Amino acid sequence: MSAHSLFGGSARLASPRGRGLRVTATAVLLLIGIAFVLPLAWLVLASLDDAATLSVRLPRVWTADNFTEILTPEQTFRPLWNSFVISLGTAVLTIVVSLLAAYPLSRYSIRFNKGLMYTVLFGTCLPVTAMMVPVYSLFVSFKLLDSLAGTIVFMASTSLPMAIWMMKNFMDSVPVSLEEASWVDGASSMTALWRVVVPLMRPGIAVVFIFVFTGAWGNFFVPFILLFSSENQPAAVAIYNFFGLNGAIAYGKLAAFSILYSLPAVLLYVITQMRSGNSFAMAGAVKG
């Protein structure tokens, strides 16, 4: 009699401490779930409370005044627009440059290919805070302080090491034979890249885009150092305005602004997931 039949058709791992392990795992997961749910519950409840505090509690008077009071160009719309411009510009620039950099690393056998990839990987470990002093001096020299374009270029350059590493691995999964077929038809390397490789690795590009966009969207330190005028500050820095002097914090407005600030990133995840599918769809691309 096989082990499969002994367990009534469903094979399971036998462990004398299986029940204790399940209880422990459930308790740990429950604690992790509470750690995630409590801040979200505070955001929602505090945004609808006219006398919100740091405590998680039901509002005594449910109101939408916190939202209506912050929906002004100075407090919400302009910072969100600046965040959108910085994040989109950083993501698009990073995608284009990382695609061009990953292509030769993926397709050609270069003598220092492995060393170069390890150097790129090392670049992902460098903390941005460690290089801000020379970067600030460079921005002063080139008169790029308080410039959205300069900030976009710097944030894209800091995102490039990880983006190149991810893009190269995604590009390795695209069969080279597809490009060779296009070369036979007279296509150049760049034509094969844009018309054959890029369409097939759209899910991978979407992953890199989300990674870079959300990183730029939530970046506080770099815009805080390089952008000092209120007209150019993104939402990540503008949220600091709700922290007043002497510990006075407008909790209700802060929660309402935080919800509005989170919505674009959540929508990006949903839209990208709907349009990209769940995996690469290259099955059957190569035949024979």
Side-chain angles (χ1 to χ4, degrees), residues 54-76:
L54 197 55
S55 304
V56 180
R57 64 176 191 181
L58 290 176
R60 293 173 184 170
V61 178
W62 296 82
T63 177
D65 288 347
N66 291 323
F67 287 97
T68 56
E69 290 178 9
I70 65 168
L71 288 178
T72 61
E74 293 77 16
Q75 281 193 300
T76 302

Side-chain angles (χ1 to χ4, degrees), residues 32 47 66-67 80 114 147 167 176 192 199 220 223 266 271 275 277 285:
I32 295 175
S47 66
N66 291 323
F67 287 97
L80 286 178
K114 185 178 291 185
S147 166
M167 202 71 80
V176 181
F220 169 81
V266 175
I271 293 173
R275 295 188 62 85

Side-chain angles (χ1 to χ4, degrees), residues 2-247:
S2 65
H4 184 75
S5 58
L6 281 174
F7 289 100
S10 59
R12 294 180 180 177
L13 292 177
S15 170
R17 294 179 294 179
R19 185 175 180 183
L21 185 61
R22 284 198 300 273
V23 172
T24 305
T26 304
V28 171
L29 291 176
L30 190 60
L31 287 175
I32 295 175
I34 292 174
F36 277 95
V37 168
L38 273 181
L40 294 178
W42 179 86
L43 274 182
V44 175
L45 295 176
S47 66
L48 299 173
D49 191 351
D50 63 340
T53 63
L54 197 55
S55 304
V56 180
R57 64 176 191 181
L58 290 176
R60 293 173 184 170
V61 178
W62 296 82
T63 177
D65 288 347
N66 291 323
F67 287 97
T68 56
E69 290 178 9
I70 65 168
L71 288 178
T72 61
E74 293 77 16
Q75 281 193 300
T76 302
F77 297 130
R78 184 178 295 161
L80 286 178
W81 173 252
N82 290 335
S83 288
F84 179 76
V85 170
I86 293 174
S87 303
L88 184 65
T90 301
V92 171
L93 185 59
T94 302
I95 291 293
V96 173
V97 177
S98 62
L99 266 174
L100 296 175
Y103 186 69
L105 291 172
S106 173
R107 291 297 187 258
Y108 300 107
S109 297
I110 307 173
R111 183 178 179 184
F112 304 105
N113 202 344
K114 185 178 291 185
L116 189 59
M117 285 305 297
Y118 281 126
T119 304
V120 171
L121 185 61
F122 173 74
T124 64
C125 305
L126 292 176
V128 176
T129 52
M131 63 180 78
M132 280 312 294
V133 173
V135 167
Y136 187 85
S137 176
L138 197 65
F139 268 60
V140 171
S141 301
F142 286 95
K143 302 184 186 311
L144 289 175
L145 279 179
D146 203 29
S147 166
L148 289 178
T151 305
I152 289 172
V153 171
F154 174 68
M155 293 178 72
S157 64
T158 58
S159 303
L160 273 176
M162 180 59 78
I164 292 173
W165 182 268
M166 295 170 68
M167 202 71 80
K168 190 260 181 188
N169 289 318
F170 285 126
M171 196 173 289
D172 286 344
S173 61
V174 179
V176 181
S177 54
L178 296 176
E179 294 174 66
E180 293 174 343
S182 66
W183 295 341
V184 171
D185 293 336
S188 63
S189 297
M190 292 304 296
T191 303
L193 172 63
W194 295 115
R195 300 209 174 167
V196 177
V197 179
V198 169
L200 288 174
M201 57 182 296
R202 277 184 300 183
I205 294 175
V207 170
V208 179
F209 183 88
I210 290 177
F211 174 77
V212 177
F213 186 93
T214 54
W217 185 265
N219 196 315
F220 169 81
F221 185 71
V222 173
F224 182 71
I225 298 296
L226 301 180
L227 301 172
F228 46 82
S229 68
S230 59
E231 290 79 10
N232 290 331
Q233 285 185 346
V237 179
I239 199 172
Y240 190 70
N241 296 329
F242 294 99
F243 293 84
L245 298 176
N246 302 320

